[in-house]
Amino acid sequence: MKSNNHKDSSEKLMLDRILTGSGSSNRPGSKLMVLLLLLVSATYVVYTLQLISNSRACHVEPFSAVVRRLNDIVNSSQPLILLQSNQTAVIESHSSAPPPPPPETQLRHMVFGIAASAKLWKQRKEYIKIWYKPDKMRGYVWLEKPVKRLDEDDETNLPPVRISADTSKFPYKNKKGHRSAIRISRIVTETLKLGLEDVRWFVMGDDDTVFVAENLIRVLRKYDHNQMYYIGSLSESHLQNIYFSYGMAYGGGGFAVSYPLAVALSKMQDRCIKRYPALYGSDDRMQACMAELGVPLTKELGFHQYDVYGNLFGLLAAHPVAPLVTLHHLDVVEPIFPNMTRVDALKRLQEPAMLDSAGLMQQSICYDKRRKWTVSVSWGYAVQIFRGVFSAREMEMPSRTFLNWYRRADYTAYAFNTRPVSRHPCQKPFVFYMSTTGVHPITNMTVSRYESHRVAQPECRWKMANPGDLRTVIVYKKPDPHLWDRSPRRNCCRVKSKKNSTLEISVAVCKEGFDW
């Protein structure tokens, strides 16, 4: 017991000596060691307190909540990023059922802007009545000044009339043109500012432009209306396209502007117009602004400016393989059906358009081998029969029944291939124009009747059947509303039979191994 007490006393004495620095020859080293221990201890205490003060309370998420959160991630349309050890990030897209696509473009999604003149309004309004459907379409006629009050029939069958804004502040320096071009070039912008809802396309045309609205819809459905599109076509005149532009949509032939492009145009058009005072018309001003926006022309062959004079027969009987969208310059050319007024002729064309608008004016070429005839059907318009065998390559070229815009018979003045009207007495075509059309009550096929256009024919000495003995051609065709959903191709036709003075022909989609 005493020895233990002695031991404790000895240890206490030694500690006192160390703390007081007495009884040892290494006092400075002992002090340094003590100070170092105190510094390390203090640093540890401070660091521990800091960690405690900055830390958060640990929250353990219930398992059910974790499951719900994982289900939300799996069912969301956002990409799920999974990180794997020693590998790069792997992205897996887990999406729910895609949202339903927007409804197809319909007539209600378009707004027509019709450029008109008060001076010509009385006669030109009759063209608009032919194609405009007030219960299905939206549109406005834009005039430079008010006209006399419309009668009840006009109020019912025509678009509302609007007066264009004053454009006197814009410079115009073209000596050959008219400053009304500035007013007309702003119609898209002015129509946009009306604030109509659910608009996808703004469609421009003149008061002498006739639209086949169902085919216009077929064309526009090919394009995303949420993107910037400028859709139309060129002039038939090579010289016109050189003078103006091969990248310009001609307004008389009609063109379409998507909604986003119309918005962008409205923000800069007035400044743009002021930069081009020397331009001639509204079309080139519009194209100049499109060029500044960087949007090119998307060409569709069914828009027809028809910068020609004379008879459109050659162009219509060999229409390109594209839906017929517009006809223009109807006051300049002859009526499309003979012995009728221009308006009545166009009304007749509406009959087949209502039955099968997709197939309107579409050419089919076939041969009557027994009689050695070549037959060309322009459905809903005319049938031509030639003695002899003509190649399809030749028949699909329009015959020059018209003059160019400068009233010259110059075949180099067109922006497409043409062929001359044959001078050989035996190769003159026998033409049959559509007179009536209807639907067979049992087969649901269209039955169109074409009557012979009786004109003097030169004497032919060929020893073969004479197409002049025919009086009527009857064409059977099944309506094909999805014709333009497939790749472009002419329909085929076949001569069915000849009964007395009537020839029967069937037109249908070409089948594999079809024998001409």
Side-chain angles (χ1 to χ4, degrees):
M1 186 69 156
K2 288 182 179 180
S3 62
N4 289 338
N5 292 335
H6 178 73
K7 184 177 181 181
D8 292 340
S9 299
S10 300
E11 290 176 354
K12 185 176 181 181
L13 180 61
M14 185 179 294
L15 180 62
D16 289 341
R17 287 180 177 177
I18 292 173
L19 292 175
T20 58
S22 60
S24 172
S25 60
N26 298 325
R27 289 176 189 171
S30 300
K31 284 185 177 182
L32 184 61
M33 182 64 70
V34 171
L35 290 174
L36 183 62
L37 289 173
L38 290 175
L39 180 60
V40 171
S41 300
T43 302
Y44 178 77
V45 170
V46 172
Y47 179 73
T48 303
L49 291 175
Q50 186 175 5
L51 284 177
I52 294 173
S53 64
N54 290 337
S55 65
R56 300 177 184 177
C58 180
H59 172 67
V60 179
E61 188 173 10
F63 179 74
S64 60
V66 173
V67 172
R68 284 197 303 272
R69 199 150 54 83
L70 287 174
N71 285 333
D72 290 341
I73 293 173
V74 170
N75 293 327
S76 70
S77 60
Q78 300 297 323
L80 177 63
I81 302 177
L82 304 176
L83 294 178
Q84 299 179 350
S85 60
N86 298 325
Q87 294 184 8
T88 56
V90 178
I91 301 178
E92 298 180 5
S93 179
H94 297 277
S95 59
S96 58
E104 276 192 325
T105 296
Q106 304 291 343
L107 288 175
R108 69 176 185 275
H109 295 126
M110 301 186 305
V111 179
F112 291 92
I114 302 170
S117 142
K119 181 179 179 181
L120 300 173
W121 176 238
K122 185 176 180 179
Q123 65 190 68
R124 293 281 182 85
K125 67 183 180 181
E126 300 303 322
Y127 293 130
I128 302 173
K129 290 179 184 179
I130 293 172
W131 62 269
Y132 187 76
K133 300 177 178 63
D135 57 332
K136 297 180 180 180
M137 301 177 183
R138 293 184 291 178
Y140 296 90
V141 173
W142 292 90
L143 294 167
E144 76 277 20
K145 63 181 181 180
V147 293
K148 291 183 180 180
R149 180 179 174 81
L150 303 176
D151 58 33
E152 186 175 348
D153 180 63
D154 291 343
E155 292 282 1
T156 304
N157 298 303
L158 287 172
V161 173
R162 292 287 185 272
I163 307 302
S164 299
D166 178 34
T167 58
S168 58
K169 66 179 181 179
F170 296 98
Y172 187 87
K173 297 181 180 180
N174 191 294
K175 295 180 180 180
K176 295 182 179 180
H178 193 278
R179 66 174 300 110
S180 62
I182 297 174
R183 173 185 74 85
I184 295 172
S185 68
R186 299 181 72 252
I187 285 179
V188 169
T189 294
E190 290 198 83
T191 306
L192 171 71
K193 291 179 179 178
L194 295 177
L196 302 177
E197 296 183 354
D198 201 18
V199 177
R200 297 182 180 182
W201 297 94
F202 293 92
V203 180
M204 271 290 298
D206 286 353
D207 49 6
D208 63 338
T209 305
V210 170
F211 286 89
V212 182
E214 292 77 11
N215 284 339
L216 175 62
I217 288 293
R218 289 185 174 98
V219 169
L220 296 183
R221 280 176 181 165
K222 298 192 300 183
Y223 302 98
D224 182 358
H225 61 275
N226 294 309
Q227 305 296 322
M228 291 188 180
Y229 279 106
Y230 168 48
I231 302 172
S233 193
L234 308 176
S235 170
E236 291 73 20
S237 169
H238 175 54
L239 295 178
Q240 287 285 91
N241 292 329
I242 290 176
Y243 292 156
F244 293 99
S245 173
Y246 263 98
M248 181 185 87
Y250 282 71
F255 61 84
V257 174
S258 62
Y259 188 89
L261 180 55
V263 172
L265 178 68
S266 68
K267 295 177 180 179
M268 55 79 74
Q269 188 176 25
D270 286 355
R271 298 190 305 276
C272 173
I273 291 174
K274 291 179 181 179
R275 289 191 282 270
Y276 301 96
L279 293 182
Y280 175 85
S282 61
D283 308 337
D284 43 0
R285 281 176 169 77
M286 178 68 76
Q287 191 270 331
C289 296
M290 294 299 178
E292 291 194 5
L293 291 171
V295 179
L297 173 64
T298 299
K299 298 182 180 70
E300 285 287 346
L301 297 178
F303 292 86
H304 297 298
Q305 172 74 5
Y306 285 145
D307 280 341
V308 296
Y309 287 94
N311 194 332
L312 287 180
F313 179 82
L315 290 168
L316 298 179
H319 192 274
V321 185
L324 173 67
V325 178
T326 62
L327 303 170
H328 181 232
H329 276 154
L330 299 168
D331 280 348
V332 173
V333 298
E334 298 173 10
I336 62 174
F337 289 104
N339 306 319
M340 303 181 75
T341 66
R342 291 178 173 87
V343 171
D344 288 341
L346 291 165
K347 287 180 179 178
R348 174 176 290 187
L349 193 65
Q350 298 304 302
E351 297 174 15
M354 288 188 292
L355 298 180
D356 187 9
S357 57
L360 185 64
M361 294 283 183
Q362 295 308 303
Q363 184 185 27
S364 302
I365 302 168
C366 53
Y367 302 91
D368 186 331
K369 294 183 178 179
R370 187 166 68 87
R371 300 176 185 86
K372 295 182 175 60
W373 289 347
T374 299
V375 179
S376 173
V377 179
S378 177
W379 189 84
Y381 177 55
V383 175
Q384 298 178 85
I385 300 178
F386 297 81
R387 294 185 181 97
V389 177
F390 291 78
S391 68
R393 182 177 185 272
E394 186 173 3
M395 292 302 300
E396 70 179 7
M397 291 185 193
S399 60
R400 293 194 290 273
T401 61
F402 45 87
L403 298 175
N404 66 39
W405 194 239
Y406 299 93
R407 297 183 184 271
R408 294 194 297 268
D410 179 9
Y411 72 92
T412 65
Y414 304 111
F416 50 90
N417 297 114
T418 60
R419 60 184 173 89
V421 176
S422 177
R423 295 183 179 182
H424 194 289
C426 294
Q427 293 184 331
K428 296 284 186 181
F430 291 79
V431 180
F432 301 77
Y433 285 100
M434 191 275 295
S435 58
T436 60
T437 185
V439 177
H440 195 282
I442 298 176
T443 63
N444 288 326
M445 297 184 71
T446 62
V447 182
S448 49
R449 187 182 183 91
Y450 302 77
E451 301 292 345
S452 173
H453 180 50
R454 309 304 292 178
V455 295
Q457 289 282 350
E459 182 183 358
C460 174
R461 297 183 180 181
W462 288 359
K463 304 300 182 181
M464 62 187 308
N466 181 11
D469 295 337
L470 296 174
R471 294 292 179 267
T472 305
V473 176
I474 297 177
V475 177
Y476 301 92
K477 179 182 182 298
K478 185 178 180 180
D480 188 3
H482 300 292
L483 173 64
W484 303 111
D485 294 339
R486 304 185 292 271
S487 61
R489 187 182 182 185
R490 280 199 317 267
N491 280 331
C492 289
C493 64
R494 187 190 299 274
V495 176
K496 295 180 63 176
S497 64
K498 178 182 179 297
K499 298 177 181 178
N500 299 323
S501 60
T502 300
L503 187 71
E504 294 185 345
I505 300 172
S506 63
V507 173
V509 175
C510 298
K511 297 181 180 179
E512 186 176 355
F514 184 85
D515 183 9
W516 290 102

